[in-house]
Amino acid sequence: MNAHNEADRALKAKHRDMWALGDYPAVAAEVIPDLGAILVEACGVGRGDRVLDVAAGSGNAAIPAALAGASVVASDLTPELLEAGRVLAAKRGAEVEWRPADAEALPFADGEFDTVLSCVGVMFAPHHQAAADELVRVCRPGGTIGTLSWTPEGFIGQMLATMKPYAPAPPPGAQPPPLWGSEDHVRALFRDAVTDVAARRQMVTIDRFADPSAFRDYFKANYGPTVAVYRAIAGDPDRVAALDHALTELARRHLKDEEKAVMEWEYLLLTARKRA
């Protein structure tokens, strides 16, 4: 058991460090600023609700939930992201409690929250069942659980698949993040612990990149998983060039309008009620 615990601690430390690379708060604020508010609205968050944002990053969902009048705790494995969130929340006049926490072992009581949500966050916890069980555990009976996750077939799912051959092999038991974007997978994780599952695939329009190579360079500089993969192959110029080409081509294939360099990225928005 100790060896397992040690391995898990090392894996979590690696995840924590990866998300501190680059500038994820910039990605959340500049590329996908509206996703958190979409999830908050889908969950019906309102005044006086007790809300937990799991794998909250810099508060893309926590801040809109607080501005909707909820009492919000934002938890994340990476302290640097919570620090950035604290600054953003203060700027926007949102009151949020920021707590370092592992999505697979949340430091909260059973049934502590009315709504438990995660916006492109919990999907990156390596052990999906452990994370899903925690989302359910800390939600009160009859409360709402909501996730917004990139789909395997959508742009970010395809980007992660494109980077995978260049990345160090994941440890045994770690599952691919975009599985959270598959409705069947999430239903299987929650099993009969929830009712009233509502799931729909939607698109977010991305129009901030001048062209595919501008997208690639932005993600190489700012998105932790991409920064980490490039660091892993930094000593091999051929592999760097191959990944550069693969990411540029991926973006090119997803252009909706070459003239304007507009892309649409697919995500799964899923809400459910914890069985009373």
Side-chain angles (χ1 to χ4, degrees):
M1 190 62 185
N2 281 350
H4 172 75
N5 286 347
E6 278 303 312
D8 196 53
R9 264 201 293 276
L11 175 60
K12 297 299 166 59
K14 206 167 152 187
H15 268 240
R16 195 164 50 236
D17 293 346
M18 176 181 76
W19 286 105
L21 295 172
D23 188 351
Y24 185 73
V27 177
E30 295 167 9
V31 184
I32 50 167
D34 302 326
L35 287 192
I38 288 168
L39 177 60
V40 166
E41 190 178 333
C43 290
V45 171
R47 190 158 301 285
D49 288 344
R50 295 163 306 158
V51 175
L52 174 65
D53 183 1
V54 177
S58 47
N60 207 350
I63 292 170
L67 293 173
S71 163
V72 182
V73 178
S75 68
D76 198 277
L77 197 59
T78 303
E80 290 88 341
L81 298 184
L82 295 175
E83 205 41 62
R86 218 176 250 121
V87 173
L88 285 172
K91 273 187 194 158
R92 294 185 60 185
E95 203 169 305
V96 176
E97 183 188 338
W98 303 90
R99 291 277 301 273
D102 177 355
E104 297 176 7
L106 294 168
F108 306 109
D110 294 0
E112 192 172 330
F113 299 93
D114 299 306
T115 303
V116 178
L117 48 78
S118 186
C119 181
V120 296
V122 76
M123 63 181 289
F124 290 97
H127 307 106
H128 293 188
Q129 192 62 62
D133 290 349
E134 284 295 87
L135 296 184
V136 172
R137 180 184 68 77
V138 301
C139 185
R140 70 165 170 80
T144 300
I145 297 166
T147 57
L148 191 157
S149 312
W150 302 118
T151 65
E153 303 82 4
F155 180 79
I156 295 290
Q158 290 296 301
M159 184 188 84
L160 294 171
T162 299
M163 296 192 309
K164 193 177 177 180
Y166 299 88
Q175 290 173 283
L179 283 178
W180 275 89
S182 155
E183 181 183 342
D184 289 347
H185 181 72
V186 184
R187 281 179 178 271
L189 293 174
F190 289 144
R191 298 185 298 268
D192 55 2
V194 301
T195 60
D196 305 324
V197 175
R200 58 183 190 269
R201 288 173 176 243
Q202 296 183 173
M203 295 285 192
V204 56
T205 300
I206 306 295
D207 58 5
R208 76 169 309 283
F209 302 112
D211 56 41
S213 58
F215 151 77
R216 178 202 68 211
D217 292 343
Y218 182 91
F219 265 59
K220 277 176 78 167
N222 294 299
Y223 190 61
T226 308
V227 179
V229 169
Y230 273 98
R231 283 198 176 181
I233 60 171
D236 188 337
D238 290 344
R239 297 194 84 203
V240 171
L243 182 54
D244 276 349
H245 177 74
L247 288 177
T248 307
E249 285 310 303
L250 177 73
R252 198 181 311 286
R253 284 198 301 277
H254 278 78
L255 286 184
K256 205 173 143 235
D257 177 342
E258 286 245 16
E259 300 266 305
K260 297 188 182 127
V262 173
M263 289 187 268
E264 290 199 327
W265 296 358
E266 186 183 58
Y267 60 86
L268 179 76
L269 180 62
L270 184 141
T271 58
R273 195 163 297 289
K274 180 171 171 177
R275 200 175 282 283

